[in-house]
Amino acid sequence: MEREKLARAYEPGRIEKKWYDFWLSHGYFRPKVDPTLSPYVITMPPPNVTGELHVGHALTMALEDIMIRWHRLLGEPTLWVPGSDHAGIATQVLVEQDLAREGLTRNDIGRDKFVERAWTRAQRSRSAIRQQLQLIGCSCDWERDTFTLDEGPSRAVRAAFVRLYEKGRVYRGERMVNWCPRCRTALSDLEVEHQDTDGRLYYFRYPFVDGTGFLTIATTRPETYFGDTAVAVSPLDQRYSSAVGKRVRLPGTGREIPVIADEAVDPSFGTGALKITPSHDPTDLLVADRHNLPHINVIDKDGTMNAEAGACKGLDRMACRERVVEEFTRQGLLDHIEPYSHMVGHCSRCRTAVEPSISLQWFVDTKPLAEAAIAAVRSGEIRIIPEHFTKVYYSWMESIKDWCISRQLWWGHRIPVWYCADCRALTVAVETPSVCSKCGSSHIEQDPDVLDTWFSSGLWPHSTLGWPADTADMRYFYPTTMMETGYDILFFWVARMIMMGIEDTGKVPFKFVYLNGLIRDEQGQKMSKMRGNVIRPDDAISKYGVDALRYALTTGNSPGNDLSLGDAKLEAGRNFVNKLWNATRFVLQSAEQWRSNADSGSPLPTPNRIEDRWILSRLNRLTASVRSLMAEYQLGEAERQIQDFLWSEFCDWYIELAKLRMRRSASDATPAGDAVSDSPAPYLASVLDAALRLLHPFMPFVTEELWQTMQPEADDAVPARSIMVAPCPEVHPEREDVEAEHVVGAAIDIVRALRNARAERRVEAQSWIEASIYTGGAILEKLQPLAPAVESLARTHILRLADRDARGDSAESQRAIVLADAEIVVARISPEEALRVRTQLEKEAEVTRTRLLSVTGRLEDAAFVAKAPADVTARQRELAINLHDKLERLEAELRDLG
């Protein structure tokens, strides 16, 4: 099979498709089951089938793909199960919006037709999501692609519900829930977004029944006063000690309610007297239950007032609020109104203000499940990364409340409960029954509600492997290894998976939880369409390439921390790809006969030159560090170190040293055999090969392309190979060379110092400078062979390379640049060069001085300061400081010239 030549420039689109198709066609994503090895397994957090993936998904997928590809390099059987979530309420809202555009509602077409439409939309979205996941480079086993409403997960959902019901851990009862009046369903806490809302605080007077005056209360919700069943004050509030035990009359209703004392009341809020409306506030409900107060619901499921609201029946909540305020005003019972900013819960899908409401729903008794889940983390069976989120996990789980799992929707897993019309008994079963399990009547009807999406998602690690059946996958791949997701759903999803996994299987669902942060823009702002700072993965990939996007999302990133993303990071990723590409082109052109082959078995020649020993030692140190960091899931730091090694040590230093050797070898007419034996080629090829394998999990496409071009031409009979199944680089203790690292490190420091000296003296690029270098005797001899390279790389004639003891007079010492292992004395520049530099410095100083005078004059202008926006004046002050500092530096350089 003839190998392709490496193109002059990187073309991401063509290369990415080529290699992804190659990986797929050769089955590299499928795990090879080996009973003697423990598998590495990740179950993908299933994206919602509500549209395309966003950049947060790209982060999650990149991190998981890094983990999977790394463990595949280690030779472990790796399985990454892909899938997608039906996203109950979110998908239902989208389908309802589709219908609204046609002038229809879900009730117009009925449940069956509605579900058909939802399936059509879901399948369309699944296809788009799969394409995007493949575009990002996800190395999933696509033969296992699963949807939460597929037959397997659906059966698992029913089995889990029935098991919980039979254990008495699922029950039906009236409890307070988050209720969306538009979607007309209960919501989970995760489906409620709390927004800071500019509202009002209304102060109403409630007359005492005994005619002794009024009790003034403060409320943000006048419309619920029809459901008031008490007024509460703090037992520590002396202002109301005489009022406790009295009764007040609700204006307009004639109802009398008691004044009670309860510790839940904050005396500093409003007047310190609060109306208690148990059916429409969770705190009020707790107070009411402590005092045996009745519950009066005054708002219907559609957000309109019911018969309890008297003349306001049928009004929308907000319209009723206005009517109530008007009535209190008319009766002279409105004390005053003041602005009040507070948090109001809104449905995350339709943005309607959520109504706390007591409703008949299905619940899970989560306390016993939570206890097992807490124990799994405390014992170390499950490790949360980063560790500080463990405390958050404990806090949530120890105060967990019963979980409302029913939703009044049409799209989702139907609750497997059937009600008998004859005997009123419930039939709870995995298989759809034809008759009542108690009386045998055929007059049974299934519960119309569906289960909370998080219920089916909570079964994801084991339902995707075949549970409740005893499958080969469950036996080999469960428990899974890693659950990687955002820290914002640690409680809402991760905790539920741990609870349900232990409950259903008796085992933890995974061994590690890796929590990633949120993505923000370059200014640290949360990305949103309203701000216009959203970066679409497809757009970023089109402009920069997949590897650049993955690099920008992951390099230097640490678990649990938010990260900033913008064009600068994406450009840095693309620049790194180009740097790597050009370096490989040099290695290929210069080392054709030494083209790397990981399987050739040919030993690497023993290096004689110190720079060869240095690069092998540095690679060995990098390999050890990356292996350690990856084992601790410090992925971003591992990638940063690989990038730093390749960009700096390999490209900027070793390749440049290699170029000098090759040029000298060519110009010296060295015999061919000697030239080959002294060639850096085997080390160039070997080091690049290993570094590409280390980098592959992070940047899979460019590493595959480059690695393939470095392989020898293969016979058609030889199976195709890929970098993704090549062995991970090993640590070779014998390659550790402290001396070489010390000496070459000192040479690099010297070159950098000389380059800085050139820049400070404003030496033109084509000009050379002169310097003497003094160092310790221990490395003096080792530095001698590198002196020509130091001269070439620093464009400096070394006048003297000697021991520190041989350094000259004190005047020379005062001019010395002191480094850890050397001191450098740069010769004074010629009078002609000094005149050129002085002229340049004086011109630049004059321009800077003029600009500084202009800026300071503007800042001293009172009219300008008074009219200009604060950010403008702040920028001008910062500019003045910078110009002042620059002028001082220029004047100091002029003084140094003498």
Side-chain angles (χ1 to χ4, degrees), residues 817-833:
I817 302 169
V818 181
L819 306 175
D821 293 294
E823 293 180 19
I824 303 170
V825 179
V826 180
R828 293 189 180 278
I829 58 177
S830 67
E832 295 81 7
E833 184 69 11

Side-chain angles (χ1 to χ4, degrees), residues 35 92 466 539 633 693 762 767 820 827 898:
Q92 174 139 337
D539 293 342
Y633 289 100
R693 282 181 279 146
R762 299 172 181 255
S767 301

Side-chain angles (χ1 to χ4, degrees), residues 47-48 51-55 57-58 61 129 132-133 136 536-538:
N48 291 341
E52 62 182 18
L53 303 184
H54 53 67
V55 73
H57 289 112
M61 301 311 161
I129 288 171
Q132 282 189 292
L133 292 173
I136 294 168
R536 296 180 64 251
D538 291 14

Side-chain angles (χ1 to χ4, degrees), residues 45-66:
N48 291 341
V49 289
T50 50
E52 62 182 18
L53 303 184
H54 53 67
V55 73
H57 289 112
L59 170 62
T60 290
M61 301 311 161
L63 290 170
E64 292 180 19
D65 194 46
I66 288 168

Side-chain angles (χ1 to χ4, degrees), residues 1-2 712-720:
M1 183 173 65
E2 187 176 352
E713 292 186 8
D715 189 282
D716 288 338
V718 177

Side-chain angles (χ1 to χ4, degrees), residues 159-174:
F161 184 94
V162 171
R163 283 167 54 90
L164 288 169
Y165 181 81
E166 290 174 346
K167 287 184 173 183
R169 292 180 179 169
V170 162
Y171 66 92
R172 195 177 188 222
E174 287 193 334

Side-chain angles (χ1 to χ4, degrees), residues 611 614 648-649 651-661 663-664 744 747-756 758 765 767-769 786-798:
E611 63 264 40
W614 168 75
S648 178
E649 295 180 312
C651 294
D652 287 353
W653 295 109
Y654 186 69
I655 282 183
E656 293 307 310
L657 290 169
K659 287 178 181 177
L660 295 174
R661 276 167 67 183
R663 280 201 292 268
R664 284 198 300 272
V744 177
I748 289 172
D749 287 345
I750 291 168
V751 172
R752 284 177 174 149
L754 288 169
R755 286 173 174 174
N756 289 338
R758 288 174 57 89
S767 301
W768 285 58
I769 61 173
L786 293 172
V790 170
E791 286 190 313
S792 295
L793 294 174
R795 298 189 72 79
T796 301
H797 294 300
I798 298 178

